[in-house]
């Protein structure tokens, strides 16, 4: 390996990704900050007949109609009541190659922070309750394991 290849390899290992740390029930998730458009307080939602169970309603975000996803349902987690910590994280993800805005219910938003590629691990195939294709990787944050979800797969 030449010096440039070694530098590139070191940069990949040391690469940091900015994430928004959110809580769903007792679990922590890291959403790539690049897809997060805004974080808002809960707003009234309108149920949509025939919608998929984990995207049961729509909300109005600054005049735009945005589907509201409850990832707790997608992951088979219990749904908790709205609290003073509940927020909606508005993200933009490609759906069928088109950018789509989606609101994601978060029981709590912790902070914007960095995770490092060197700290990530592949999802174990055993002992995890969720579909492995929904999880990009697992990482550490404040000595806790955190799930980095694959939002494109979850929402499609």
């Amino acid at each position: 390996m030449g010096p440039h290849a070694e530098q590139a390899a070191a940069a990949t290992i040391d690469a940091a990704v900015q994430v928004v740390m959110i809580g769903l029930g007792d679990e922590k998730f890291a959403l790539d900050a690049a897809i997060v458009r805004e974080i808002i307080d809960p707003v009234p939602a309108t149920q949509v007949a025939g919608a998929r169970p984990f995207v049961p309603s729509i909300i109005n975000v600054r005049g735009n109609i945005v589907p509201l996803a409850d990832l707790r349902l997608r992951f088979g987690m219990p749904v908790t009541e709205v609290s003073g910590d509940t927020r909606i994280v508005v993200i933009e993800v490609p759906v069928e190659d088109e950018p789509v805005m989606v609101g994601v219910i978060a029981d709590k938003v912790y902070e914007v922070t960095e995770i490092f590629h060197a700290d990530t691990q592949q999802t174990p195939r055993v002992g995890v309750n969720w579909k492995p294709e929904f999880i990009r990787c697992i990482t550490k944050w404040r000595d806790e394991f955190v799930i980095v979800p694959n939002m494109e797969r979850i929402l499609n």
Side-chain angles (χ1 to χ4, degrees):
M1 248 195 302
H4 295 296
E6 286 176 18
Q7 285 175 340
T12 301
I13 291 169
D14 294 337
V17 176
Q18 286 242 304
V19 295
V20 176
M21 301 300 298
I22 68 168
L24 296 177
D26 296 331
E27 301 288 342
K28 309 261 184 328
F29 291 79
L31 298 179
D32 187 337
I35 68 170
V36 175
R37 296 296 165 254
E38 62 183 308
I39 298 168
I40 61 174
D41 289 333
V43 295
T46 303
Q47 297 295 313
V48 177
R52 294 193 285 179
F54 68 95
V55 190
S57 54
I58 54 176
I59 57 173
N60 182 329
V61 179
R62 300 188 202 300
N64 296 307
I65 302 300
V66 175
L68 183 61
D70 192 336
L71 300 185
R72 297 169 299 191
L73 294 171
R74 192 69 159 147
F75 284 123
M77 300 168 74
V79 175
T80 55
E81 292 296 314
V82 171
S83 76
D85 288 332
T86 303
R87 297 291 178 271
I88 296 172
V89 181
V90 180
I91 62 172
E92 185 177 301
V93 292
V95 175
E96 297 174 5
D97 297 324
E98 291 291 322
V100 174
M101 300 285 267
V102 178
V104 174
I105 297 170
D107 292 323
K108 184 170 184 153
V109 174
Y110 291 94
E111 64 183 62
V112 176
T113 189
E114 290 183 328
I115 57 172
F116 295 90
H117 185 71
D119 293 335
T120 62
Q121 301 174 13
Q122 289 304 308
T123 307
R125 294 280 173 200
V126 177
V128 176
N129 298 333
W130 307 310
K131 294 181 180 178
E133 62 268 22
F134 287 173
I135 301 172
R136 187 161 276 137
C137 60
I138 294 175
T139 191
K140 292 277 282 211
W141 175 68
R142 296 184 179 173
D143 296 325
E144 290 185 70
F145 286 108
V146 175
I147 293 137
V148 181
N150 185 328
M151 295 307 296
E152 294 82 15
R153 287 218 179 119
I154 289 169
L155 296 172
N156 277 308

